[in-house]
């Protein structure tokens, strides 16, 4: 990259540095292609670095993700841009040109040594996004322990301008007046691996999500189950009580026309079963109940995983949850209607409830958005030649992988990313053959 | 730290703050008030567990804060090394000032 004029040439631009973006970037970089990897968050790793363990192997999610994060960050063929957003990607005679904006961290990255003294000195606490609000961070903080890169971000909205961070910094790298920086990337191909969001906690008002402190999202439960989670144990956010009874409400954001999410999010059954198994390990005497419509255990080893959970004593109740109320002790009262027994509605009490929310695209293409791709009715990217060519988008030279194209589990996202990398590599080679003057320009 | 180094760092911090205030304008009184209240909550919790370990409901009773608020602040202070776990009492973890 030419730091003077903020321009970079790369073979492939990869948008999004979650597990799919990391895998696609590494597959390309290991073959000798140059990659510009762009991530809007302060750290790479996506949602996966936030998880406790993965199904169905119960391997540590961080142990799988962190080596890929480190490899991508240190790979000589990958230029990494964090806190950077893609403003526009347009076609040129040679491929694509992307205009990026790097948002300010308010520190000089080339001087910061990641010592965290600024974070220790800061006295302003705000809810920590990484722990989904269950824990706190400081107004200046490194996002999480194994974040890459290990640079803090100053939250301009929360900062009180007391100057404690600047006084504590041994390298004088705090820069309160840092401005956004424009970067231009020329690339021959693009891979879009944008992330997903969960449906909002309060989308179904009858469940009390976002109002009752003990109604959690699945990602909040992931943090409670993580060894370095906010409480150091599974406790109730309302009062720190160790829960005796935990319930999962399945399809609390999917297969629901009223939310505009008629499709199955594919991963909710399996992550609920995984979390239930982990909870039964952390809280051996707790009752864990999963209220479901039907269990979709579709992948390799998933049905066995489900049967193992049943054998461990997880209660699977085929029932629809109509509403959730809270009593004066923050216990949750679920009004359910069983579908297996045919009995009338009943009310059951649980200490903690997890809503299995649906997956929706975090980025939807619009005609005047960053790149004029087309989406399907569900908002995920359209794949006109799927399933034969599952990574080709509606634009020649632009490929997609991971949850940008639809809900996927980690195994499928990684496989998909490998396929996208191969398709992009083929495209770059074809472009080189048709334009011999460019051959070997960056490889 | 030598006096010279301290003075240099002090100047750097002062210059940074001056530049930031020039850019952002006057301090937001609403934010300043919220910060003050947060400091009061932290101090009240730390005082309540200075001499004996207490659970979240016990801290809430001693400070007048809600149990949900206490849980969040105990979590925050624990993360930054001001509070430590001190065993369990029935279904609750007890916390002590570090």
């Amino acid at each position: 990259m030419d730091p003077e004029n903020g321009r970079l040439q790369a073979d492939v631009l990869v948008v999004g540095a979650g597990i799919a973006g990391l895998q696609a970037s590494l597959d390309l970089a290991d073959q000798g292609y140059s990659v510009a990897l762009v991530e809007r968050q302060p750290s790479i790793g996506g949602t996966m670095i936030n998880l406790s363990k993965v199904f169905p192997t119960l391997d540590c999610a961080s142990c799988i993700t962190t080596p890929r994060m480190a490899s991508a960050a240190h790979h000589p063929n990958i230029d990494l841009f964090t806190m950077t957003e893609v403003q526009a990607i347009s076609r040129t005679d040679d491929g694509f040109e992307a205009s990026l904006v790097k948002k300010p961290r308010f520190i000089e990255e080339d001087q910061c040594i990641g010592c965290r003294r600024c974070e220790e000195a800061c006295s302003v606490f705000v809810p920590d996004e990484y722990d989904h609000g269950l824990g706190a961070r400081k107004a200046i903080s490194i996002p999480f322990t194994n974040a890459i890169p290990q640079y803090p971000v100053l939250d301009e909205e929360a900062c009180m301008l007391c100057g404690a961070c600047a006084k504590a910094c041994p390298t004088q790298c705090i820069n309160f007046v840092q401005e956004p920086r424009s970067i231009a990337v020329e690339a021959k191909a693009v891979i879009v691996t944008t992330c997903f969001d969960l449906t909002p906690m309060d989308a179904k008002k009858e469940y009390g999500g976002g109002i009752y402190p003990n109604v959690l999202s699945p990602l909040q439960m992931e943090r409670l189950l993580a060894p370095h989670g906010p409480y150091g144990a599974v406790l109730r956010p309302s009062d720190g009580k160790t829960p005796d009874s935990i319930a999962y409400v399945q399809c609390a954001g999917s297969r629901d026309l009223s939310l505009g999410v008629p499709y199955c999010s594919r991963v909710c059954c399996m992550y609920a079963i995984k979390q239930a198994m982990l909870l039964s390990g952390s809280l051996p005497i707790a009752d864990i109940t999963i209220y479901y419509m039907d269990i979709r255990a579709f992948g390799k080893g998933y049905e066995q995983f489900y049967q193992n959970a049943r054998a461990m004593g997880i209660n699977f109740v085929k029932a629809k949850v109509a509403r959730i109320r809270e009593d004066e002790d923050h216990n949750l009262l679920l009004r359910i209607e069983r579908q297996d027994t045919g009995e009338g509605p009943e009310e059951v009490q649980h200490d903690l409830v997890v809503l299995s929310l649906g997956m929706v695209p975090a980025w939807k293409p619009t005609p005047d958005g960053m790149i004029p791709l087309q989406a399907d009715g569900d908002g995920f990217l359209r794949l006109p030649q799927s399933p034969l060519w599952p990574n080709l988008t509606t634009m020649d030279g632009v490929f997609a992988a991971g949850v940008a194209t639809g809900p996927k589990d980690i195994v499928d996202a990684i496989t998909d990313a490998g396929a996208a990398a191969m398709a992009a590599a083929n495209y770059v080679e074809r472009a080189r053959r048709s334009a011999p003057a460019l051959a070997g320009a960056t490889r | 730290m030598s006096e010279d180094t301290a003075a240099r760092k002090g100047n750097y911090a002062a210059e940074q703050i001056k530049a930031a205030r020039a850019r952002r304008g006057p301090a937001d009184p609403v934010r300043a008030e919220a910060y003050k209240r947060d400091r009061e909550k932290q101090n009240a919790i730390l005082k309540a567990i200075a001499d004996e370990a207490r659970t979240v409901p016990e801290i809430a009773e001693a400070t007048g804060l809600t149990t949900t608020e206490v849980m969040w602040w105990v979590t925050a202070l624990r993360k930054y090394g001001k509070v430590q776990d001190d065993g369990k009492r029935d279904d609750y973890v007890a916390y002590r000032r570090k």
Side-chain angles (χ1 to χ4, degrees):
Chain A
M1 176 166 163
D2 181 352
E4 290 301 313
N5 61 13
R7 289 192 79 81
L8 174 77
Q9 285 189 327
D11 289 321
V12 182
L13 168 69
V14 177
V15 182
I19 190 62
L22 290 172
Q23 188 65 44
S25 299
L26 287 168
D27 283 357
L28 286 162
D30 285 345
Q31 295 176 65
Y33 296 100
S34 57
V35 176
L37 176 57
V38 181
E39 171 57 51
R40 66 182 171 148
Q41 298 292 337
S43 171
I44 57 175
T47 305
M48 188 174 170
I49 193 63
N50 210 248
L51 306 180
S52 55
K53 297 195 175 183
V54 297
F55 58 79
T57 55
L58 297 184
D59 288 325
C60 160
S62 181
C63 305
I64 299 168
T65 320
T66 310
R68 281 180 168 81
M69 291 162 65
S71 296
H74 296 109
H75 203 294
N77 291 341
I78 298 177
D79 280 290
L80 178 62
F81 300 94
T82 52
M83 288 198 75
T84 302
E85 291 195 348
V86 179
Q87 298 294 298
I89 300 174
S90 52
R91 190 178 283 288
T92 64
D93 292 342
D94 299 332
F96 297 92
E97 174 150 339
S99 53
L100 318 179
V101 172
K102 187 172 173 60
K103 292 178 284 181
R105 283 177 186 266
F106 300 103
I107 59 127
E108 299 297 343
E109 293 182 9
D110 55 348
Q111 293 172 39
C112 179
I113 55 173
C115 66
R116 288 195 132 145
R117 286 197 199 163
C118 54
E119 187 172 349
E120 288 162 17
C122 180
S123 59
V124 182
F125 289 85
V126 287
D128 187 353
E129 297 85 354
Y130 180 69
D131 281 333
H132 302 280
L134 296 176
R137 64 167 170 80
K138 298 284 189 72
I140 185 166
S141 62
I142 291 179
F144 50 93
T145 311
N146 48 353
I148 292 179
Q150 279 278 304
Y151 297 134
V153 182
L154 188 144
D155 181 343
E156 197 177 15
E157 290 298 309
C159 175
M160 298 297 298
L161 282 182
C162 67
C165 55
K167 286 177 196 147
C169 178
T171 63
Q172 302 188 354
C173 74
I174 309 289
N175 180 356
F176 284 120
V177 291
Q178 197 171 47
E179 296 286 344
R181 190 160 61 92
S182 296
I183 300 163
V185 175
E186 292 170 32
K188 298 182 186 71
V190 177
I191 300 179
V192 178
T193 65
T194 44
C195 190
F196 68 93
D197 282 334
L198 292 174
T199 49
M201 278 291 280
D202 61 354
K204 290 184 79 72
K205 305 283 182 208
E206 59 271 34
Y207 289 164
I211 299 169
Y212 304 145
N214 295 330
V215 176
L216 301 180
S217 77
L219 290 176
Q220 285 179 313
M221 180 53 87
E222 289 289 337
R223 297 308 306 145
L224 292 190
L225 287 164
H228 47 292
Y231 305 154
V234 179
L235 304 173
R236 298 205 312 181
S238 69
D239 54 8
K241 184 189 173 202
T242 304
D244 291 327
S245 169
I246 301 163
Y248 281 81
V249 179
Q250 296 305 104
C251 301
S254 309
R255 303 169 72 189
D256 191 332
L257 274 173
S258 70
L259 297 178
V261 187
Y263 53 86
C264 168
S265 289
R266 290 169 58 96
V267 294
C268 318
C269 288
M270 297 310 295
Y271 71 60
I273 294 170
K274 175 199 75 176
Q275 291 185 359
M277 290 171 88
L278 295 173
L279 281 166
S280 69
S282 301
L283 308 167
I285 57 170
D287 290 324
I288 301 156
T289 305
I290 296 179
Y291 297 103
Y292 70 99
M293 289 205 281
D294 48 56
I295 294 293
R296 298 188 168 181
F298 59 91
K300 185 174 181 178
Y302 291 5
E303 177 63 21
Q304 186 60 50
F305 193 66
Y306 167 44
Q307 295 302 335
N308 290 351
R310 293 191 85 103
M312 284 173 72
I314 312 295
N315 303 312
F316 287 83
V317 177
K318 192 171 175 65
K320 193 70 188 153
V321 177
R323 68 161 187 259
I324 300 173
R325 290 189 300 117
E326 186 190 62
D327 71 13
E328 65 275 12
D329 294 322
H330 296 294
N331 300 313
L332 298 163
L333 305 167
L334 280 64
R335 189 163 180 83
I336 66 162
E337 186 171 5
R338 286 176 172 267
Q339 294 170 359
D340 48 359
T341 62
E343 293 171 8
E346 59 181 297
E347 199 157 67
V348 288
Q349 182 179 314
H350 294 283
D351 289 338
L352 208 56
V353 168
V354 181
L355 302 180
S356 289
L357 304 172
M359 288 169 86
V360 291
W363 170 73
K364 291 181 186 177
T366 54
D368 55 351
M370 76 167 179
I371 185 166
L373 296 174
Q374 289 177 24
D376 283 320
D378 57 13
F380 292 100
L381 292 180
R382 178 171 296 165
L383 303 171
Q385 297 187 53
S386 177
L388 198 58
W389 300 101
N391 306 102
L392 303 192
T393 67
T394 48
M395 252 178 108
D396 190 37
V398 180
F399 306 88
V403 288
T405 64
K408 276 182 196 66
D409 61 22
I410 290 164
V411 177
D412 284 355
I414 290 173
T415 309
D416 200 33
M422 185 58 77
N426 284 338
Y427 184 86
V428 170
E429 287 304 321
R430 282 201 304 276
R432 280 180 179 156
R433 279 190 217 114
S434 61
L438 290 172
T442 54
R443 192 180 175 192
Chain B
M1 192 189 299
S2 71
E3 281 183 22
D4 188 37
T5 308
R8 205 168 57 242
K9 288 187 78 170
N11 287 342
Y12 154 73
E15 283 166 16
Q16 281 292 318
I17 293 163
K18 192 175 164 191
R21 287 200 174 133
R23 187 169 105 154
R24 287 198 216 167
D28 178 359
V30 176
R31 199 193 296 176
E33 185 57 35
Y35 173 72
K36 192 177 151 198
R37 281 200 307 274
D38 283 352
R39 296 288 288 179
E40 287 167 359
K41 288 174 190 173
Q42 291 170 50
N43 290 336
I45 290 168
L46 290 171
K47 191 176 164 194
I49 55 175
D51 299 324
E52 61 171 323
R54 285 177 158 160
T55 64
V56 167
E58 289 167 350
I59 300 168
E61 198 177 330
T63 58
L65 299 169
T66 67
T67 53
T68 307
E69 269 185 307
V70 170
M71 185 65 189
W72 193 83
W73 278 109
V74 164
T75 304
L77 296 167
R78 182 180 176 276
K79 176 178 175 180
Y80 287 100
K82 305 278 186 198
V83 167
Q84 64 183 12
D85 298 0
D86 193 275
K88 284 195 81 172
R89 292 190 195 167
D90 298 325
D91 285 338
Y92 295 90
V93 177
Y95 300 96
R96 177 186 289 279
R97 185 170 182 166
K98 208 167 178 178

